[in-house]
Amino acid sequence: MSVSLVVIRLELAEHSLVPAGFGFSAAAGEMSDEEIKKKTLASAVASLEGKSPGEKAAIIHQHLGRREMTDMIIETMKSNPDELKATMEERKSSEASLTAQRSKDHSIECINAAPDSPSKQLPDQISFFSGNPSVEIVHGIMHLYKTNKMTSLKEDVRRSAMLCILTVPATMTSHDLMKFVAPFNEVIEQMKIIRDSTPNQYMVLIKFSAQADADSFYMACNGRQFNSIEDDVCQLVYVERAEVLKSEDCPVCRYCQTPEPVEENKCFECGVQENLWICLICGHIGCGRYVSRHAYKHFEETQHTYAMQLTNHRVWDYAGDNYVHRLVASKTDGKIVQYECEGDTCQEEKIDALQLEYSYLLTSQLESQRIYWENKIVRIEKDTAEEINNMKTKFKETIEKCDNLEHRLNDLLKEKQSVERKCTQLNTKVAKLTTELREEQEMNKCLRANQVLLQNKLKEEERVLKETCDQKDLQITEIQEQLRDVMFYLETQQKISHLPAETRQEIQEGQINIAMASASSAPSAGGGGKLPSRKGRGKRGK
C-alpha cells in the first residue's frame, strides 16, 4: 500500500496575525527555515519559467484562481498544559509589544516629574489578554498541494509524524473528535482544528510523538467511519510540510496583464466581448467608454490609472487621457516589444485613428440613444402591462377573497347557532347531572349511616351468638354426662338381672363405693362379688 505526502500552505493577508506553532516540516533537522521557504517558492517560480503569457495565466488561474481570503478559526489542543501556557504568554507578549514603548516613556516622565497625587503614578495603559488562548482567528487562504513522492507503508522510510484529516463533518464536535482519537491520546503532541468558509466540514492536523505512532494511527483509522450512524469516513494523508506565508511574500503574480484574446474574455459587469480594456493594476476587465464605460468607471472608483486594450495591446492613461508606453506583444514569440512608427506613417495612423474614433463615437452615441429610448419605451410598456396585469390579478384575488369571506361568515354563523344549541343542551344536562349528583351524595350519606348501624348490630348479634354457642356447648356436655350415666345404669341393671338371686339379694343389701381410677382401667368382677357402681344407684334400682 503506497501513500503520498501533501503540503499545507496558509497564505495570510498582510494585516493578519501569524498563528502560533503552525509551521512543521518532516525534515526539520535537515533544512533551516530560509531553505524551506526558498524551496517552497522555487517550485512556484519554476512552474512559470519559460511559459508564454497564456500558459502563465492558465497556471495562475489553476493555482490561485479568484478565491477570496476569509476568516479561519484555528483551535489548538495540546497534551502538555505548560506548552499551552507558553503559547498564551507568547500571544500576550506580541499584543503588548505595541504599547511597551509608550508605557516606558510614560514611566520615565513619572520619574522625572513630581507626582501630585497617587492616581498620577498609575500608567495610562495596562496590557492585558482576554479570550481563549487555544483559539486563533486569521485571515487568509488555505492551500493543499499533493507531492509526487509515493512511499509504501511496509517500507522503513522516513515520512512524517503529522497526519491530516481532510474532511471532518461539522456535526462532530471537539468532544466527539477527542473520543474518536482517544486510544492514541498518549502519543499525540498537539491537534489543530482548522475551520474556514467551507460549509459542513473542517480540517484537523494531528502531530504525533514519532512516525511509528502516526503509522499506527493511519492503519487503524484511515477509511474508518467516525460513528455508526453517519456514512462519513476518516480520510488521512501524511503532511510533509505545514507552512505560513504572507500574501506579499508570494512572487507569483495573480493576474496576467497581457492575456490572449480568448472567448472567455468579457466585461465583468455587463458581459460584452468587444472593446475590452484590462486594468494593469488589479486585472479588472471592463468595456470601453463608447459601450458602457465600465473600464472608466473602474478608474473612477479605484484610481487605477493604466488600462490596456485587449485587441492591440495599447496602454491608455486615464489621468493624462492619452496612450502611453507603446509596448505591444509580438505576434511571433509573444514577447513585449516597443511599438515604433516613423514620419508620415505615424501621422497618418493618428489621423486615421482620430477619424475612426470620431466615427465610432458618433455611431456608438446614436446607437446608444436609439437603444436607450427603445429600451425605455419597451420597459415602460412592459411595466404598464405588468402593472395592469397585477391590478387585474389583485382585483380578482380581492373578489375571490370577499366571496370566501362571505362563505366563511355564513359557515361561522351556522356553526355558532349549532354551538349555542349544544351549549344549551349541555347546560341542561349539567344541571340534571348536578341534581342527580346531589341526590346520590345524600343517598350515599344515608347508606353510610345505615352501614354503621348494621355493623354495630352485627357485632351485637355475633356476641349473642357466641354466648349462645358457649351455653349450648355447656348443655351438650352436661347432657352427654347424663346420657353416659343412664347408659351405665341400664347396663348395670341388665347385668344384675342375669345374676343369681342370692347375688342380687346381696347387692341390694350392700353398698357400692366408686374408687377414683384411670379411664383405662376396666371394672373388675372380684372384691367379694360386688360390682362397681356409683353410690346411691342401687336404691334407684330397687
Side-chain angles (χ1 to χ4, degrees):
M1 179 179 179
S2 299
V3 295
S4 63
L5 279 69
V6 300
V7 177
I8 296 177
R9 179 179 300 167
L10 179 58
E11 180 183 354
L12 296 178
E14 298 180 2
H15 62 277
S16 178
L17 297 177
V18 178
F22 189 86
F24 169 78
S25 176
E30 299 177 0
M31 293 187 298
S32 62
D33 296 339
E34 293 295 331
E35 291 175 346
I36 294 174
K37 185 175 180 181
K38 184 177 180 180
K39 180 181 178 181
T40 302
L41 300 180
S43 60
V45 176
S47 63
L48 297 178
E49 186 176 0
K51 303 292 183 181
S52 64
E55 294 175 348
K56 289 182 180 180
I59 295 174
I60 293 170
H61 180 74
Q62 178 183 1
H63 290 278
L64 295 178
R66 299 187 183 276
R67 295 180 57 190
E68 296 181 357
M69 293 188 176
T70 58
D71 289 336
M72 291 183 289
I73 301 176
I74 302 177
E75 182 179 358
T76 305
M77 298 181 182
K78 295 186 178 181
S79 58
N80 188 359
D82 295 336
E83 296 180 2
L84 183 60
K85 183 178 180 181
T87 303
M88 182 180 66
E89 294 294 336
E90 179 181 354
R91 289 182 59 190
K92 182 178 178 181
S93 60
S94 63
E95 292 182 0
S97 61
L98 299 176
T99 58
Q101 186 65 31
R102 297 179 182 178
S103 300
K104 182 177 179 181
D105 298 338
H106 180 75
S107 59
I108 295 174
E109 293 177 0
C110 292
I111 293 174
N112 296 333
D116 297 334
S117 63
S119 61
K120 291 186 177 181
Q121 299 179 6
L122 299 175
D124 292 338
Q125 296 180 354
I126 300 176
S127 60
F128 70 96
F129 178 80
S130 63
N132 190 351
S134 63
V135 177
E136 301 174 273
I137 300 178
V138 298
H139 190 74
I141 305 174
M142 181 67 70
H143 300 279
L144 183 66
Y145 302 100
K146 181 179 179 181
T147 63
N148 296 326
K149 184 178 181 181
M150 300 290 292
T151 60
S152 175
L153 289 176
K154 298 181 180 179
E155 298 176 359
D156 188 13
V157 296
R158 183 173 181 180
R159 281 182 294 273
S160 175
M162 177 178 284
L163 292 176
C164 175
I165 305 179
L166 295 178
T167 56
V168 181
T171 55
M172 286 191 62
T173 62
S174 301
H175 299 286
D176 298 333
L177 183 63
M178 294 302 294
K179 290 180 181 178
F180 181 75
V181 301
F184 299 88
N185 281 340
E186 297 180 356
V187 296
I188 294 178
E189 292 185 357
Q190 70 173 7
M191 292 175 55
K192 286 187 177 292
I193 300 176
I194 304 172
R195 294 182 173 88
D196 57 3
S197 59
T198 304
N200 303 326
Q201 65 182 21
Y202 57 89
M203 180 190 299
V204 180
L205 295 178
I206 306 178
K207 174 67 170 62
F208 292 88
S209 303
Q211 179 180 324
D213 301 327
D215 294 339
S216 300
F217 184 80
Y218 186 91
M219 296 298 295
C221 298
N222 187 36
R224 170 186 166 192
Q225 289 185 348
F226 291 105
N227 51 54
S228 59
I229 300 177
E230 300 178 355
D231 298 333
D232 298 309
V233 297
C234 178
Q235 299 179 3
L236 293 173
V237 291
Y238 283 88
V239 179
E240 181 181 5
R241 296 193 312 276
E243 54 196 17
V244 182
L245 292 176
K246 289 287 187 177
S247 58
E248 64 270 14
D249 296 335
C250 182
V252 181
C253 179
R254 290 180 177 269
Y255 301 94
C256 178
Q257 295 185 359
T258 57
E260 297 293 329
V262 294
E263 296 180 357
E264 288 76 9
N265 290 333
K266 59 183 178 180
C267 179
F268 288 173
E269 279 73 17
C270 61
V272 300
Q273 295 183 347
E274 58 181 6
N275 194 14
L276 298 180
W277 296 79
I278 181 172
C279 178
L280 298 181
I281 308 299
C282 66
H284 174 272
I285 297 178
C287 55
R289 66 178 67 187
Y290 304 125
V291 183
S292 296
R293 305 180 72 252
H294 287 135
Y296 187 76
K297 290 180 181 178
H298 176 73
F299 159 70
E300 293 178 341
E301 294 173 356
T302 61
Q303 297 300 315
H304 292 172
T305 306
Y306 299 105
M308 183 178 66
Q309 192 172 8
L310 295 182
T311 55
N312 55 17
H313 299 167
R314 293 185 180 182
V315 179
W316 181 265
D317 179 13
Y318 284 105
D321 200 19
N322 56 7
Y323 286 104
V324 295
H325 305 302
R326 294 297 181 104
L327 300 179
V328 297
S330 176
K331 296 183 179 180
T332 58
D333 55 3
K335 294 183 179 180
I336 303 300
V337 297
Q338 185 176 0
Y339 180 78
E340 297 180 354
C341 61
E342 297 179 356
D344 297 334
T345 304
C346 184
Q347 188 68 22
E348 291 177 359
E349 288 183 0
K350 289 183 179 179
I351 295 174
D352 294 336
L354 290 175
Q355 291 177 352
L356 179 63
E357 183 177 0
Y358 178 79
S359 301
Y360 192 88
L361 174 60
L362 182 60
T363 305
S364 62
Q365 291 296 320
L366 293 175
E367 184 69 14
S368 63
Q369 290 293 320
R370 182 183 64 81
I371 295 174
Y372 169 78
W373 290 110
E374 288 180 354
N375 292 336
K376 189 172 183 179
I377 293 172
V378 172
R379 187 165 54 252
I380 292 174
E381 291 177 351
K382 184 178 179 180
D383 294 341
T384 305
E386 289 179 356
E387 187 175 358
I388 293 173
N389 293 330
N390 293 333
M391 293 298 293
K392 289 180 179 179
T393 304
K394 289 182 179 179
F395 181 74
K396 186 177 179 181
E397 291 176 354
T398 304
I399 294 176
E400 292 178 354
K401 189 179 294 184
C402 290
D403 295 336
N404 294 331
L405 290 176
E406 288 179 357
H407 292 303
R408 180 62 177 168
L409 179 60
N410 295 330
D411 295 337
L412 290 176
L413 290 175
K414 294 179 181 179
E415 187 177 357
K416 179 185 176 183
Q417 293 176 357
S418 176
V419 170
E420 287 178 351
R421 286 195 300 269
K422 290 181 180 180
C423 184
T424 304
Q425 295 176 0
L426 290 175
N427 289 334
T428 305
K429 192 173 181 179
V430 167
K432 183 178 179 181
L433 291 175
T434 303
T435 304
E436 293 178 356
L437 177 62
R438 193 177 298 110
E439 293 176 356
E440 292 290 335
Q441 289 177 351
E442 292 294 335
M443 185 179 295
N444 190 18
K445 184 177 180 182
C446 295
L447 290 175
R448 287 184 179 178
N450 295 335
Q451 183 182 8
V452 173
L453 295 177
L454 292 175
Q455 286 178 352
N456 295 334
K457 189 175 181 180
L458 178 61
K459 291 180 180 179
E460 183 65 23
E461 293 293 331
E462 289 177 352
R463 185 183 62 77
V464 173
L465 179 61
K466 184 177 181 182
E467 291 177 356
T468 305
C469 291
D470 294 338
Q471 292 177 1
K472 182 189 70 171
D473 294 336
L474 182 60
Q475 290 177 0
I476 291 171
T477 303
E478 291 178 356
I479 291 171
Q480 288 177 353
E481 289 178 355
Q482 291 177 5
L483 180 61
R484 186 170 54 250
D485 292 341
V486 171
M487 294 300 294
F488 181 79
Y489 170 76
L490 294 176
E491 290 175 359
T492 305
Q493 187 177 12
Q494 185 178 7
K495 288 182 180 180
I496 292 174
S497 64
H498 294 291
L499 293 176
E502 295 179 354
T503 303
R504 292 196 299 270
Q505 184 67 30
E506 185 179 358
I507 290 172
Q508 290 177 357
E509 295 176 352
Q511 296 180 354
I512 297 175
N513 295 326
I514 298 175
M516 301 300 293
S518 61
S520 63
S521 62
S524 64
K530 296 180 180 178
L531 293 174
S533 178
R534 290 191 180 184
K535 184 178 179 181
R537 296 295 182 184
K539 295 181 181 181
R540 291 198 294 269
K542 293 181 178 180

